[in-house]
Amino acid sequence: MKAVWYEATGAAQDVLGFGDLPQPVAGPGEVLVRVKTSGVNPSDVKSRAGLRGPIPFPRVIPHSDGAGTIEAVGEGVDTSRNGERVWIWNAAWRRAFGTCSELVAIPSAQAVPLPDNTGFDAGACLGIPASTAYHGVFSDGTVEGQTILVTGGAGAVGHYAIQFAKYGGAQVITTVSGDTKAAHAKTAGADHVINYKTESVHEKVLDLTHGAGVDRVIEVEFGGNLAEIAPVLKAGAVIATYGSMAAPNPAIPFYDLMFKNVTLKMYLVYLLSEAARKQTVEGVNAALASGKISHAIAKRVPLKETARAHELVEATSEMGNIIIEI
């Protein structure tokens, strides 16, 4: 099969190889998926660059997200799954071989039926960006009638978070860094967009909510944004955060948050519990089936040009997901 792999960490053009590798076989409890699309996420490029530690296996086929069609099933898997269109999660998480190849053998539970109204390109965005957004919005139950602040609404996760929050019946305020990104966030359905480069976020949020504040924050940069989000939290509010790159060791205003009875929820989508994963997978698919979720695909890149795709993700200049077409 054709595949992309690396055997040492480093720059994409230096370490990513393209060629033929042996075809995998579905083992017990696994399915063999003919991959149509592979999603490239920041975590994939950081692992390849060595920013997440040394290479964990002698050879790594990257990428946790993807979509395709089940071609064969292993022992213990119902043969009715043959031919099923699926999206994939955690393919490269603590595993040597991810989705950046023509075929991948994966535990059956990690190949989720792809709704009929959803294409393979969108399917490659669901394992990390969409699932991170869905869990951030719905992990504590319904959000109907709430006001939710989504920081970084033009990002891959933020764009989905806006849509899921609107799908769940919430009012959504989001932050961006410019006019183009503001327009992109608006396409996701944000009710209000704040340019954090030119406006005071906490003052604008309090103005928009008539001083009431927000019920929930979906936070991409916890440490960097904490000073702006702490003043706008309602009593009992939740901060659901999945990142803090700019300020990885922030000082937390403990008593300010405690006296508002705030819940600080830090989460990593790779490590969802079985129950949380079930809720997320089923919830994402229900939202997709409703026809109310759109997908921002920034670039589609051929398999042999995966190194270029990694560079596009590292540049962080694209709005939307980078997809490998296989």
Side-chain angles (χ1 to χ4, degrees):
M1 68 172 182
K2 296 296 182 185
V4 168
W5 68 88
Y6 59 94
E7 296 175 348
T9 57
Q13 296 288 350
D14 294 339
V15 301
L16 288 176
F18 168 73
D20 291 300
L21 289 180
Q23 177 174 316
V25 176
E30 293 185 333
V31 294
L32 182 67
V33 178
R34 173 72 59 177
V35 183
K36 301 293 185 181
T37 54
S38 176
V40 190
N41 288 287
S43 55
D44 298 314
V45 302
K46 289 173 185 175
S47 294
R48 182 266 307 146
L51 300 178
R52 294 286 171 87
I55 188 169
F57 303 98
R59 173 183 291 158
V60 172
I61 295 175
H63 306 170
S64 282
D65 289 1
T69 304
I70 293 178
E71 193 163 280
V73 300
E75 181 183 350
V77 179
D78 196 318
T79 56
S80 66
R81 297 211 69 185
N82 279 315
E84 192 175 272
R85 299 168 69 252
V86 296
W87 60 273
I88 294 167
W89 54 271
N90 277 16
W93 174 250
R94 296 174 178 171
R95 289 168 38 89
F97 300 147
T99 64
C100 203
S101 58
E102 291 181 321
L103 293 159
V104 63
I106 195 87
S108 180
Q110 290 174 231
V112 181
L114 186 65
D116 291 339
N117 67 343
T118 305
F120 290 122
D121 53 354
C125 306
L126 304 179
I128 295 174
S131 294
T132 297
Y134 189 93
H135 183 74
V137 172
F138 292 112
S139 55
D140 297 300
T142 181
V143 296
E144 186 171 0
Q146 293 186 7
T147 300
I148 295 180
L149 174 61
V150 177
T151 64
V157 175
H159 198 259
Y160 276 120
I162 293 168
Q163 294 184 77
F164 287 136
K166 293 300 296 180
Y167 166 77
Q171 176 178 252
V172 179
I173 303 169
T174 192
T175 63
V176 298
S177 62
D179 292 342
T180 302
K181 290 184 176 181
H184 186 61
K186 274 289 189 181
T187 67
D191 296 288
H192 305 284
V193 181
I194 301 169
N195 184 337
Y196 66 83
K197 294 285 190 180
T198 60
E199 300 176 280
S200 165
V201 173
H202 76 270
E203 289 179 3
K204 189 67 174 178
V205 170
L206 291 174
D207 180 57
L208 290 169
T209 61
H210 307 289
V214 302
D215 299 279
R216 193 175 191 88
V217 182
I218 311 303
E219 181 54 69
V220 64
E221 180 48 61
F222 175 69
N225 292 337
L226 184 55
E228 289 293 309
I229 65 174
V232 305
L233 300 171
K234 288 182 179 179
V238 176
I239 303 171
T241 181
Y242 58 94
S244 192
M245 288 291 293
N249 297 296
I252 296 176
F254 178 79
Y255 284 109
D256 289 347
L257 300 181
M258 188 187 79
F259 277 94
K260 286 187 176 181
N261 199 34
V262 168
T263 297
L264 174 56
K265 179 184 181 69
M266 304 177 191
Y267 67 101
L268 181 66
V269 73
Y270 297 103
L271 292 175
L272 296 185
S273 67
E274 184 176 345
R277 179 69 65 181
K278 182 176 187 294
Q279 180 204 31
T280 298
V281 164
E282 292 179 354
V284 166
N285 268 11
L288 294 175
S290 76
K292 296 180 179 179
I293 306 300
S294 63
H295 311 276
I297 309 296
K299 287 282 191 307
R300 295 171 175 84
V301 178
L303 179 62
K304 65 182 179 180
E305 297 180 24
T306 294
R308 180 168 70 88
H310 276 226
E311 291 171 344
L312 288 170
V313 172
E314 289 172 321
T316 67
S317 57
E318 301 289 345
M319 287 186 295
N321 298 277
I322 307 298
I323 301 301
I324 305 297
E325 295 184 320
I326 301 175

Short mmCIF file of all heavy atoms in Angstrom, two decimals, residues 151-217:
data_model
loop_
_atom_site.label_atom_id
_atom_site.label_comp_id
_atom_site.label_asym_id
_atom_site.label_seq_id
_atom_site.Cartn_x
_atom_site.Cartn_y
_atom_site.Cartn_z
N THR A 151 -13.65 31.15 22.68
CA THR A 151 -12.47 31.92 22.29
C THR A 151 -11.83 31.26 21.07
O THR A 151 -11.85 30.04 20.92
CB THR A 151 -11.46 32.02 23.44
OG1 THR A 151 -10.97 30.72 23.76
CG2 THR A 151 -12.10 32.64 24.67
N GLY A 152 -11.30 32.10 20.18
CA GLY A 152 -10.68 31.56 18.97
C GLY A 152 -11.71 30.96 18.04
O GLY A 152 -11.54 29.84 17.55
N GLY A 153 -12.77 31.71 17.74
CA GLY A 153 -13.87 31.16 16.96
C GLY A 153 -13.57 30.89 15.50
O GLY A 153 -14.37 30.25 14.82
N ALA A 154 -12.41 31.35 15.01
CA ALA A 154 -12.03 31.06 13.63
C ALA A 154 -11.17 29.81 13.52
O ALA A 154 -10.86 29.36 12.41
CB ALA A 154 -11.29 32.25 13.02
N GLY A 155 -10.77 29.24 14.65
CA GLY A 155 -9.96 28.02 14.64
C GLY A 155 -10.80 26.79 14.32
O GLY A 155 -12.03 26.84 14.33
N ALA A 156 -10.13 25.68 14.07
CA ALA A 156 -10.84 24.46 13.69
C ALA A 156 -11.80 24.01 14.78
O ALA A 156 -12.96 23.67 14.51
CB ALA A 156 -9.83 23.36 13.36
N VAL A 157 -11.33 23.99 16.03
CA VAL A 157 -12.20 23.60 17.15
C VAL A 157 -13.25 24.68 17.41
O VAL A 157 -14.43 24.38 17.59
CB VAL A 157 -11.38 23.32 18.41
CG1 VAL A 157 -12.29 23.04 19.60
CG2 VAL A 157 -10.44 22.14 18.19
N GLY A 158 -12.81 25.94 17.43
CA GLY A 158 -13.74 27.03 17.71
C GLY A 158 -14.88 27.10 16.72
O GLY A 158 -16.04 27.34 17.10
N HIS A 159 -14.59 26.88 15.44
CA HIS A 159 -15.62 26.92 14.40
C HIS A 159 -16.69 25.87 14.65
O HIS A 159 -17.89 26.12 14.48
CB HIS A 159 -14.97 26.74 13.04
CG HIS A 159 -15.81 27.18 11.88
ND1 HIS A 159 -16.52 26.30 11.10
CD2 HIS A 159 -16.07 28.42 11.39
CE1 HIS A 159 -17.15 26.97 10.16
NE2 HIS A 159 -16.90 28.26 10.31
N TYR A 160 -16.25 24.67 15.05
CA TYR A 160 -17.23 23.63 15.39
C TYR A 160 -17.95 23.94 16.69
O TYR A 160 -19.16 23.71 16.82
CB TYR A 160 -16.52 22.27 15.52
CG TYR A 160 -16.31 21.53 14.23
CD1 TYR A 160 -15.03 21.20 13.80
CD2 TYR A 160 -17.38 21.12 13.45
CE1 TYR A 160 -14.82 20.51 12.62
CE2 TYR A 160 -17.18 20.42 12.27
CZ TYR A 160 -15.90 20.11 11.85
OH TYR A 160 -15.70 19.43 10.68
N ALA A 161 -17.23 24.48 17.68
CA ALA A 161 -17.84 24.77 18.98
C ALA A 161 -18.98 25.78 18.83
O ALA A 161 -20.03 25.65 19.48
CB ALA A 161 -16.80 25.29 19.96
N ILE A 162 -18.79 26.80 18.00
CA ILE A 162 -19.87 27.75 17.75
C ILE A 162 -21.10 27.03 17.21
O ILE A 162 -22.22 27.23 17.68
CB ILE A 162 -19.41 28.83 16.75
CG1 ILE A 162 -18.32 29.71 17.36
CG2 ILE A 162 -20.59 29.70 16.30
CD1 ILE A 162 -17.63 30.60 16.34
N GLN A 163 -20.87 26.17 16.23
CA GLN A 163 -21.99 25.47 15.60
C GLN A 163 -22.70 24.53 16.57
O GLN A 163 -23.94 24.48 16.61
CB GLN A 163 -21.49 24.69 14.39
CG GLN A 163 -20.98 25.57 13.27
CD GLN A 163 -20.60 24.74 12.07
OE1 GLN A 163 -21.44 24.28 11.31
NE2 GLN A 163 -19.30 24.52 11.91
N PHE A 164 -21.93 23.77 17.36
CA PHE A 164 -22.56 22.85 18.31
C PHE A 164 -23.34 23.61 19.37
O PHE A 164 -24.42 23.19 19.78
CB PHE A 164 -21.50 21.95 18.95
CG PHE A 164 -20.95 20.88 18.04
CD1 PHE A 164 -19.59 20.62 17.99
CD2 PHE A 164 -21.79 20.12 17.25
CE1 PHE A 164 -19.07 19.65 17.17
CE2 PHE A 164 -21.29 19.14 16.41
CZ PHE A 164 -19.93 18.90 16.37
N ALA A 165 -22.79 24.73 19.84
CA ALA A 165 -23.48 25.52 20.85
C ALA A 165 -24.80 26.07 20.30
O ALA A 165 -25.84 26.05 20.98
CB ALA A 165 -22.59 26.65 21.34
N LYS A 166 -24.78 26.55 19.05
CA LYS A 166 -26.01 27.03 18.43
C LYS A 166 -26.99 25.88 18.21
O LYS A 166 -28.19 26.02 18.44
CB LYS A 166 -25.70 27.72 17.10
CG LYS A 166 -24.92 29.03 17.22
CD LYS A 166 -25.70 30.06 18.06
CE LYS A 166 -27.00 30.48 17.40
NZ LYS A 166 -27.74 31.48 18.21
N TYR A 167 -26.48 24.75 17.77
CA TYR A 167 -27.29 23.54 17.60
C TYR A 167 -27.97 23.14 18.91
O TYR A 167 -29.12 22.68 18.93
CB TYR A 167 -26.38 22.42 17.09
CG TYR A 167 -26.91 21.02 17.15
CD1 TYR A 167 -27.84 20.55 16.23
CD2 TYR A 167 -26.44 20.13 18.13
CE1 TYR A 167 -28.31 19.24 16.28
CE2 TYR A 167 -26.90 18.83 18.19
CZ TYR A 167 -27.84 18.38 17.26
OH TYR A 167 -28.28 17.08 17.33
N GLY A 168 -27.26 23.38 20.04
CA GLY A 168 -27.80 23.05 21.35
C GLY A 168 -28.70 24.11 21.94
O GLY A 168 -29.17 23.95 23.07
N GLY A 169 -28.92 25.21 21.23
CA GLY A 169 -29.85 26.22 21.71
C GLY A 169 -29.24 27.33 22.54
O GLY A 169 -29.95 28.02 23.27
N ALA A 170 -27.92 27.53 22.43
CA ALA A 170 -27.25 28.58 23.21
C ALA A 170 -27.07 29.84 22.38
O ALA A 170 -27.10 29.81 21.14
CB ALA A 170 -25.88 28.09 23.69
N GLN A 171 -26.88 30.96 23.07
CA GLN A 171 -26.39 32.18 22.43
C GLN A 171 -24.87 32.14 22.49
O GLN A 171 -24.30 31.75 23.51
CB GLN A 171 -26.90 33.43 23.16
CG GLN A 171 -26.34 34.71 22.58
CD GLN A 171 -26.87 35.96 23.26
OE1 GLN A 171 -27.67 36.69 22.70
NE2 GLN A 171 -26.41 36.20 24.49
N VAL A 172 -24.21 32.54 21.41
CA VAL A 172 -22.76 32.38 21.31
C VAL A 172 -22.07 33.72 21.06
O VAL A 172 -22.41 34.44 20.12
CB VAL A 172 -22.37 31.38 20.21
CG1 VAL A 172 -20.85 31.25 20.12
CG2 VAL A 172 -23.00 30.03 20.47
N ILE A 173 -21.10 34.00 21.91
CA ILE A 173 -20.17 35.11 21.72
C ILE A 173 -18.81 34.49 21.42
O ILE A 173 -18.42 33.50 22.07
CB ILE A 173 -20.08 35.98 22.98
CG1 ILE A 173 -21.46 36.51 23.38
CG2 ILE A 173 -19.10 37.13 22.78
CD1 ILE A 173 -21.48 37.15 24.76
N THR A 174 -18.09 35.03 20.47
CA THR A 174 -16.78 34.46 20.15
C THR A 174 -15.75 35.56 19.97
O THR A 174 -16.09 36.72 19.73
CB THR A 174 -16.84 33.57 18.89
OG1 THR A 174 -15.63 32.82 18.78
CG2 THR A 174 -17.04 34.40 17.63
N THR A 175 -14.48 35.19 20.11
CA THR A 175 -13.38 36.13 19.93
C THR A 175 -12.53 35.72 18.73
O THR A 175 -12.35 34.53 18.45
CB THR A 175 -12.48 36.20 21.17
OG1 THR A 175 -11.87 34.92 21.39
CG2 THR A 175 -13.28 36.59 22.40
N VAL A 176 -12.01 36.73 18.02
CA VAL A 176 -11.14 36.50 16.86
C VAL A 176 -10.09 37.61 16.85
O VAL A 176 -10.14 38.55 17.65
CB VAL A 176 -11.93 36.52 15.53
CG1 VAL A 176 -12.96 35.40 15.49
CG2 VAL A 176 -12.61 37.88 15.33
N SER A 177 -9.16 37.54 15.88
CA SER A 177 -8.08 38.53 15.84
C SER A 177 -8.11 39.43 14.62
O SER A 177 -7.16 40.17 14.39
CB SER A 177 -6.73 37.80 15.90
OG SER A 177 -6.57 36.95 14.78
N GLY A 178 -9.18 39.39 13.83
CA GLY A 178 -9.23 40.24 12.66
C GLY A 178 -10.54 40.11 11.90
O GLY A 178 -11.36 39.24 12.20
N ASP A 179 -10.71 40.96 10.90
CA ASP A 179 -11.98 41.01 10.16
C ASP A 179 -12.25 39.74 9.37
O ASP A 179 -13.38 39.27 9.30
CB ASP A 179 -11.99 42.22 9.23
CG ASP A 179 -12.02 43.55 9.98
OD1 ASP A 179 -12.37 43.53 11.18
OD2 ASP A 179 -11.69 44.59 9.37
N THR A 180 -11.22 39.19 8.73
CA THR A 180 -11.42 37.96 7.95
C THR A 180 -11.85 36.81 8.84
O THR A 180 -12.77 36.04 8.51
CB THR A 180 -10.13 37.59 7.19
OG1 THR A 180 -9.75 38.67 6.34
CG2 THR A 180 -10.33 36.34 6.35
N LYS A 181 -11.21 36.72 10.00
CA LYS A 181 -11.58 35.67 10.94
C LYS A 181 -12.97 35.92 11.53
O LYS A 181 -13.71 34.99 11.83
CB LYS A 181 -10.53 35.55 12.04
CG LYS A 181 -9.21 34.98 11.52
CD LYS A 181 -8.20 34.78 12.64
CE LYS A 181 -6.93 34.12 12.10
NZ LYS A 181 -5.93 33.88 13.17
N ALA A 182 -13.32 37.19 11.70
CA ALA A 182 -14.66 37.52 12.19
C ALA A 182 -15.72 37.02 11.22
O ALA A 182 -16.74 36.45 11.62
CB ALA A 182 -14.79 39.02 12.40
N ALA A 183 -15.48 37.24 9.93
CA ALA A 183 -16.43 36.77 8.92
C ALA A 183 -16.53 35.26 8.93
O ALA A 183 -17.63 34.68 8.79
CB ALA A 183 -15.98 37.26 7.54
N HIS A 184 -15.39 34.59 9.13
CA HIS A 184 -15.38 33.12 9.19
C HIS A 184 -16.20 32.63 10.39
O HIS A 184 -16.99 31.69 10.27
CB HIS A 184 -13.94 32.63 9.28
CG HIS A 184 -13.78 31.15 9.21
ND1 HIS A 184 -14.17 30.40 8.13
CD2 HIS A 184 -13.26 30.26 10.10
CE1 HIS A 184 -13.90 29.13 8.34
NE2 HIS A 184 -13.34 29.01 9.54
N ALA A 185 -16.03 33.28 11.54
CA ALA A 185 -16.79 32.89 12.74
C ALA A 185 -18.28 33.15 12.55
O ALA A 185 -19.12 32.40 13.04
CB ALA A 185 -16.27 33.65 13.95
N LYS A 186 -18.61 34.19 11.83
CA LYS A 186 -20.02 34.49 11.56
C LYS A 186 -20.67 33.39 10.73
O LYS A 186 -21.85 33.08 10.91
CB LYS A 186 -20.14 35.84 10.84
CG LYS A 186 -20.18 37.05 11.76
CD LYS A 186 -21.51 37.12 12.52
CE LYS A 186 -21.67 38.43 13.26
NZ LYS A 186 -22.95 38.46 14.02
N THR A 187 -19.89 32.80 9.81
CA THR A 187 -20.46 31.72 8.99
C THR A 187 -20.83 30.51 9.84
O THR A 187 -21.66 29.69 9.43
CB THR A 187 -19.49 31.27 7.89
OG1 THR A 187 -18.34 30.65 8.47
CG2 THR A 187 -19.06 32.44 7.01
N ALA A 188 -20.20 30.38 11.01
CA ALA A 188 -20.52 29.27 11.92
C ALA A 188 -21.77 29.56 12.73
O ALA A 188 -22.29 28.66 13.39
CB ALA A 188 -19.35 28.99 12.85
N GLY A 189 -22.24 30.80 12.71
CA GLY A 189 -23.47 31.14 13.42
C GLY A 189 -23.30 31.94 14.68
O GLY A 189 -24.26 32.09 15.45
N ALA A 190 -22.11 32.48 14.95
CA ALA A 190 -21.89 33.26 16.17
C ALA A 190 -22.84 34.45 16.21
O ALA A 190 -23.03 35.15 15.21
CB ALA A 190 -20.45 33.74 16.24
N ASP A 191 -23.43 34.68 17.37
CA ASP A 191 -24.33 35.83 17.52
C ASP A 191 -23.55 37.14 17.63
O ASP A 191 -24.00 38.17 17.13
CB ASP A 191 -25.19 35.64 18.78
CG ASP A 191 -26.10 34.43 18.68
OD1 ASP A 191 -27.08 34.49 17.92
OD2 ASP A 191 -25.81 33.42 19.35
N HIS A 192 -22.40 37.08 18.29
CA HIS A 192 -21.58 38.27 18.48
C HIS A 192 -20.11 37.88 18.32
O HIS A 192 -19.69 36.83 18.82
CB HIS A 192 -21.79 38.88 19.86
CG HIS A 192 -23.22 39.20 20.17
ND1 HIS A 192 -23.89 40.28 19.65
CD2 HIS A 192 -24.12 38.55 20.98
CE1 HIS A 192 -25.13 40.30 20.10
NE2 HIS A 192 -25.29 39.26 20.91
N VAL A 193 -19.35 38.74 17.63
CA VAL A 193 -17.93 38.48 17.42
C VAL A 193 -17.13 39.66 17.96
O VAL A 193 -17.42 40.82 17.64
CB VAL A 193 -17.61 38.29 15.92
CG1 VAL A 193 -16.13 38.00 15.73
CG2 VAL A 193 -18.45 37.15 15.34
N ILE A 194 -16.14 39.37 18.79
CA ILE A 194 -15.29 40.39 19.40
C ILE A 194 -13.88 40.26 18.84
O ILE A 194 -13.29 39.17 18.86
CB ILE A 194 -15.25 40.22 20.93
CG1 ILE A 194 -16.66 40.33 21.53
CG2 ILE A 194 -14.32 41.27 21.56
CD1 ILE A 194 -16.72 39.91 23.00
N ASN A 195 -13.33 41.37 18.36
CA ASN A 195 -11.94 41.40 17.92
C ASN A 195 -11.08 41.71 19.14
O ASN A 195 -11.04 42.85 19.61
CB ASN A 195 -11.75 42.45 16.84
CG ASN A 195 -10.33 42.46 16.28
OD1 ASN A 195 -9.38 42.00 16.92
ND2 ASN A 195 -10.17 42.99 15.07
N TYR A 196 -10.40 40.70 19.66
CA TYR A 196 -9.65 40.90 20.90
C TYR A 196 -8.40 41.76 20.70
O TYR A 196 -7.79 42.20 21.67
CB TYR A 196 -9.27 39.56 21.54
CG TYR A 196 -8.31 38.69 20.78
CD1 TYR A 196 -6.93 38.90 20.85
CD2 TYR A 196 -8.76 37.62 20.00
CE1 TYR A 196 -6.05 38.09 20.17
CE2 TYR A 196 -7.89 36.81 19.31
CZ TYR A 196 -6.53 37.05 19.39
OH TYR A 196 -5.66 36.25 18.70
N LYS A 197 -8.05 42.04 19.45
CA LYS A 197 -6.91 42.92 19.18
C LYS A 197 -7.29 44.39 19.38
O LYS A 197 -6.42 45.21 19.68
CB LYS A 197 -6.41 42.71 17.75
CG LYS A 197 -5.81 41.34 17.47
CD LYS A 197 -4.43 41.21 18.07
CE LYS A 197 -3.74 39.94 17.58
NZ LYS A 197 -2.39 39.80 18.15
N THR A 198 -8.56 44.70 19.17
CA THR A 198 -8.97 46.11 19.19
C THR A 198 -10.01 46.42 20.26
O THR A 198 -10.33 47.59 20.48
CB THR A 198 -9.55 46.51 17.82
OG1 THR A 198 -10.69 45.68 17.52
CG2 THR A 198 -8.51 46.35 16.73
N GLU A 199 -10.56 45.39 20.92
CA GLU A 199 -11.61 45.59 21.91
C GLU A 199 -11.25 44.90 23.21
O GLU A 199 -10.54 43.88 23.21
CB GLU A 199 -12.95 45.04 21.40
CG GLU A 199 -13.45 45.68 20.11
CD GLU A 199 -14.73 45.02 19.62
OE1 GLU A 199 -14.62 43.95 19.00
OE2 GLU A 199 -15.82 45.58 19.84
N SER A 200 -11.76 45.41 24.31
CA SER A 200 -11.62 44.73 25.60
C SER A 200 -12.65 43.61 25.64
O SER A 200 -13.86 43.86 25.61
CB SER A 200 -11.88 45.71 26.74
OG SER A 200 -12.10 45.02 27.95
N VAL A 201 -12.18 42.38 25.74
CA VAL A 201 -13.09 41.24 25.70
C VAL A 201 -14.06 41.27 26.88
O VAL A 201 -15.27 41.13 26.71
CB VAL A 201 -12.31 39.91 25.67
CG1 VAL A 201 -13.26 38.72 25.81
CG2 VAL A 201 -11.52 39.79 24.36
N HIS A 202 -13.54 41.46 28.08
CA HIS A 202 -14.44 41.39 29.24
C HIS A 202 -15.44 42.55 29.24
O HIS A 202 -16.61 42.35 29.59
CB HIS A 202 -13.66 41.30 30.55
CG HIS A 202 -13.04 42.56 31.02
ND1 HIS A 202 -11.77 42.94 30.67
CD2 HIS A 202 -13.52 43.54 31.83
CE1 HIS A 202 -11.48 44.08 31.25
NE2 HIS A 202 -12.53 44.49 31.96
N GLU A 203 -15.01 43.72 28.81
CA GLU A 203 -15.95 44.84 28.76
C GLU A 203 -17.03 44.60 27.72
O GLU A 203 -18.22 44.86 27.96
CB GLU A 203 -15.21 46.14 28.47
CG GLU A 203 -14.35 46.63 29.62
CD GLU A 203 -13.62 47.92 29.29
OE1 GLU A 203 -13.82 48.45 28.17
OE2 GLU A 203 -12.84 48.39 30.14
N LYS A 204 -16.63 44.09 26.57
CA LYS A 204 -17.60 43.83 25.50
C LYS A 204 -18.57 42.72 25.88
O LYS A 204 -19.79 42.82 25.62
CB LYS A 204 -16.85 43.47 24.21
CG LYS A 204 -17.74 43.39 22.98
CD LYS A 204 -18.30 44.73 22.59
CE LYS A 204 -19.06 44.65 21.27
NZ LYS A 204 -19.66 45.95 20.89
N VAL A 205 -18.07 41.65 26.51
CA VAL A 205 -18.95 40.56 26.92
C VAL A 205 -19.97 41.05 27.95
O VAL A 205 -21.16 40.73 27.86
CB VAL A 205 -18.14 39.37 27.48
CG1 VAL A 205 -19.07 38.34 28.13
CG2 VAL A 205 -17.34 38.70 26.36
N LEU A 206 -19.52 41.80 28.91
CA LEU A 206 -20.44 42.32 29.93
C LEU A 206 -21.47 43.26 29.31
O LEU A 206 -22.65 43.26 29.70
CB LEU A 206 -19.67 43.02 31.04
CG LEU A 206 -18.84 42.10 31.94
CD1 LEU A 206 -18.01 42.91 32.92
CD2 LEU A 206 -19.73 41.10 32.69
N ASP A 207 -21.04 44.04 28.31
CA ASP A 207 -21.99 44.91 27.62
C ASP A 207 -23.03 44.10 26.86
O ASP A 207 -24.24 44.38 26.92
CB ASP A 207 -21.22 45.84 26.67
CG ASP A 207 -22.13 46.77 25.90
OD1 ASP A 207 -22.89 47.53 26.54
OD2 ASP A 207 -22.11 46.75 24.66
N LEU A 208 -22.57 43.07 26.14
CA LEU A 208 -23.48 42.25 25.34
C LEU A 208 -24.46 41.46 26.20
O LEU A 208 -25.58 41.15 25.77
CB LEU A 208 -22.67 41.29 24.47
CG LEU A 208 -21.88 41.91 23.31
CD1 LEU A 208 -20.92 40.89 22.71
CD2 LEU A 208 -22.83 42.45 22.24
N THR A 209 -24.03 41.09 27.42
CA THR A 209 -24.89 40.29 28.31
C THR A 209 -25.57 41.15 29.37
O THR A 209 -26.14 40.62 30.32
CB THR A 209 -24.06 39.19 29.00
OG1 THR A 209 -23.03 39.79 29.78
CG2 THR A 209 -23.46 38.23 27.98
N HIS A 210 -25.50 42.49 29.20
CA HIS A 210 -26.12 43.42 30.15
C HIS A 210 -25.63 43.18 31.58
O HIS A 210 -26.39 43.24 32.54
CB HIS A 210 -27.66 43.33 30.09
CG HIS A 210 -28.20 43.50 28.69
ND1 HIS A 210 -28.19 44.69 28.03
CD2 HIS A 210 -28.74 42.58 27.83
CE1 HIS A 210 -28.72 44.53 26.81
NE2 HIS A 210 -29.05 43.26 26.66
N GLY A 211 -24.33 42.86 31.67
CA GLY A 211 -23.70 42.66 32.96
C GLY A 211 -23.82 41.27 33.54
O GLY A 211 -23.22 40.98 34.58
N ALA A 212 -24.59 40.40 32.89
CA ALA A 212 -24.85 39.07 33.46
C ALA A 212 -23.67 38.12 33.31
O ALA A 212 -23.44 37.24 34.14
CB ALA A 212 -26.09 38.45 32.82
N GLY A 213 -22.91 38.24 32.23
CA GLY A 213 -21.80 37.33 31.98
C GLY A 213 -22.24 36.07 31.25
O GLY A 213 -23.36 35.98 30.71
N VAL A 214 -21.37 35.07 31.25
CA VAL A 214 -21.61 33.86 30.47
C VAL A 214 -21.68 32.62 31.37
O VAL A 214 -21.13 32.59 32.47
CB VAL A 214 -20.51 33.65 29.41
CG1 VAL A 214 -20.45 34.86 28.47
CG2 VAL A 214 -19.14 33.41 30.04
N ASP A 215 -22.37 31.61 30.84
CA ASP A 215 -22.54 30.35 31.57
C ASP A 215 -21.38 29.39 31.35
O ASP A 215 -21.09 28.54 32.21
CB ASP A 215 -23.83 29.64 31.12
CG ASP A 215 -25.06 30.47 31.37
OD1 ASP A 215 -25.54 30.48 32.52
OD2 ASP A 215 -25.54 31.13 30.42
N ARG A 216 -20.71 29.54 30.21
CA ARG A 216 -19.70 28.54 29.83
C ARG A 216 -18.70 29.19 28.88
O ARG A 216 -19.07 30.01 28.04
CB ARG A 216 -20.38 27.34 29.16
CG ARG A 216 -19.50 26.11 28.98
CD ARG A 216 -20.31 24.94 28.41
NE ARG A 216 -19.56 23.70 28.49
CZ ARG A 216 -19.55 22.87 29.53
NH1 ARG A 216 -20.29 23.15 30.59
NH2 ARG A 216 -18.84 21.76 29.52
N VAL A 217 -17.44 28.79 29.03
CA VAL A 217 -16.40 29.25 28.11
C VAL A 217 -15.74 28.02 27.49
O VAL A 217 -15.33 27.10 28.22
CB VAL A 217 -15.32 30.09 28.84
CG1 VAL A 217 -14.28 30.59 27.84
CG2 VAL A 217 -15.96 31.26 29.58
#
